[in-house]
Amino acid sequence: MPYTFEDAMSSPGDVFDRPLDVLVSSFDKTEQWAILASWADQMHKRQLATTEGMPPGTACDPGQLLAAIADAERRLACRAPIPLTTGG
């Protein structure tokens, strides 16, 4: 079943195995930015909850995942826009 943008925004870790997978998805660049930002926000909240005594929700280290998200964001920022072709 293909995932929707809403699925990717609400649960990026369920839709993608790793942040770099967002960059090879069928979502456009704006959507990819939003998905990565949502994923980072969720990881920041998980880190905060853990420091406040809540047990970790997953086996993954939020710090490592945040670093991977930052790497994906850097790569996305370096992508050159695809030139539009015009007829003629």
Side-chain angles (χ1 to χ4, degrees):
M1 169 176 74
Y3 291 101
T4 66
F5 177 66
E6 290 75 22
D7 294 332
M9 287 293 292
S10 64
S11 300
D14 292 338
V15 176
F16 302 101
D17 290 329
R18 57 195 184 115
L20 287 179
D21 293 341
V22 175
L23 305 187
V24 295
S25 70
S26 61
F27 296 110
D28 67 36
K29 192 172 180 177
T30 301
E31 291 169 329
Q32 291 173 354
W33 275 115
I35 293 164
L36 291 170
S38 175
W39 206 344
D41 182 59
Q42 290 175 23
M43 288 301 100
H44 283 295
K45 288 177 181 174
R46 183 169 292 152
Q47 273 186 321
L48 179 61
T50 301
T51 61
E52 293 177 349
M54 184 179 228
T58 64
C60 72
D61 174 16
Q64 288 179 338
L65 190 52
L66 283 168
I69 293 167
D71 178 54
E73 289 173 330
R74 278 190 298 276
R75 290 172 188 242
L76 186 57
C78 290
R79 280 191 180 168
I82 299 170
L84 298 175
T85 58
T86 59

